[in-house]
Structure formats: C-alpha cells, structure tokens
Amino acid sequence: ILPFFLLACAESARTFAPWALLDTPTWLLLVALLLLPPLQLRTLHQVAWLSFASSVAIVAAISAIMAALLLQARDDAAPASPPSAGGRRHSVWLPSGAASLDSFGAVSAFVFAYQCHSVLLEIMREMREPRSFPAAARAAYGVMGLVYTCTCVLAYGAYGSEA
C-alpha cells in the first residue's frame, strides 16, 4: 500500500503547489524523503505525537471541503424543474454511458478511506486496556462514517450527480 500512498501524496503535493513545476517522479522522491524519518519509528507509542498533527490536518481539510460545498453557488440557482419540463434530474446511480472503470475508481477510493485494518491488531496490542478496543473501534468507525456521509450529502447537494 505504500507505493499507492506515495503516489497519492505526490499527486496531492503537485496539485497543492502547481507553481513548483516538478514532475511526478521528483514529487515522489520529495515525499519519500519527508516520510523517511517518521517511518523509522517502530511502535505506535513512538508515533503518538504525530497523530495530533495528523488529526488537525484531517479536521482542517474536512472543514474546508464542507465549507466549500456549503458555499458553492450552483449554476442553476433556480429550483430544479421536473425532467419533463426540461430540468435536470439527479441520480445516485451511474450516469448513462459511464465506463465501469470510473465506478471502480470511485469504489476503490471509498474503500481506501477505510484502509486501517492492517494496523488494528497492533493498535489493540498497544492499548492500555485492550478490552476497550471494540468500543473504541465502533466509535471511530461511527464518527468516520458520519463525516463521510455528511461530506457526500453536501457534495451531492452542491453538485448533484456531477459530483
């Protein structure tokens, strides 16, 4: 999964800093060099201090996305008219003519968002009270699902089926 993570980070950095004029392999190298020191930490207790910065970044990104979706001015500000009157109708299903690979990409992105299963046993092993792991996992997945659902609803509200 590390190559996919590096590629996603490189593409994100490239999007975040288009003025840098660096190609993807250069961004990959920079991301790998930035990740090298934290990757030397071997236990979750050693990387615990990194989780605060990560949590702040996640909350900031999700807040910015939700604010942008809430503030998004739709091109068709008038209420949608029924399809028979020439209005646009939104659907949660694949648009007609969509390639199956497009839908696979969307599903894989959603699955990747929940990709923490590889460390669940290690998290449980390093907890002070491993018996409380099921409750912690339910709470974490509940919050994560709620945030993803809210983001999807806001995106659908702002962009319709074009989101």
Side-chain angles (χ1 to χ4, degrees):
I1 198 164
L2 184 60
F4 296 118
F5 179 75
L6 287 173
L7 193 58
C9 288
E11 289 299 320
S12 297
R14 189 174 176 182
T15 303
F16 183 70
W19 43 265
L21 300 176
L22 298 173
D23 58 352
T24 301
T26 307
W27 279 115
L28 280 169
L29 181 62
L30 288 174
V31 168
L33 288 174
L34 283 172
L35 289 175
L36 193 59
L39 287 175
Q40 303 310 308
L41 304 172
R42 297 294 177 200
T43 67
L44 292 177
H45 290 290
Q46 291 174 334
V47 297
W49 60 274
L50 291 175
S51 67
F52 179 74
S54 175
S55 297
V56 169
I58 289 169
V59 168
I62 291 173
S63 299
I65 290 168
M66 287 188 173
L69 290 172
L70 282 172
L71 299 174
Q72 175 67 34
R74 295 193 54 152
D75 293 336
D76 52 344
S81 54
S84 59
R88 198 172 2 163
R89 184 176 185 174
H90 297 299
S91 171
V92 295
W93 301 107
L94 283 175
S96 61
S100 60
L101 284 179
D102 293 339
S103 61
F104 180 72
V107 170
S108 65
F110 189 75
V111 170
F112 184 74
Y114 285 91
Q115 182 61 34
C116 67
H117 296 93
S118 59
V119 296
L120 288 180
L121 294 176
E122 186 175 347
I123 291 171
M124 187 171 68
R125 180 179 59 93
E126 293 197 21
M127 288 179 70
R128 287 187 195 125
E129 295 290 330
R131 287 177 282 147
S132 62
F133 177 77
R138 279 191 299 274
Y141 276 118
V143 169
M144 197 167 38
L146 180 67
V147 169
Y148 286 144
T149 301
C150 289
T151 305
C152 290
V153 166
L154 289 174
Y156 188 78
Y159 294 102
S161 59
E162 290 85 30

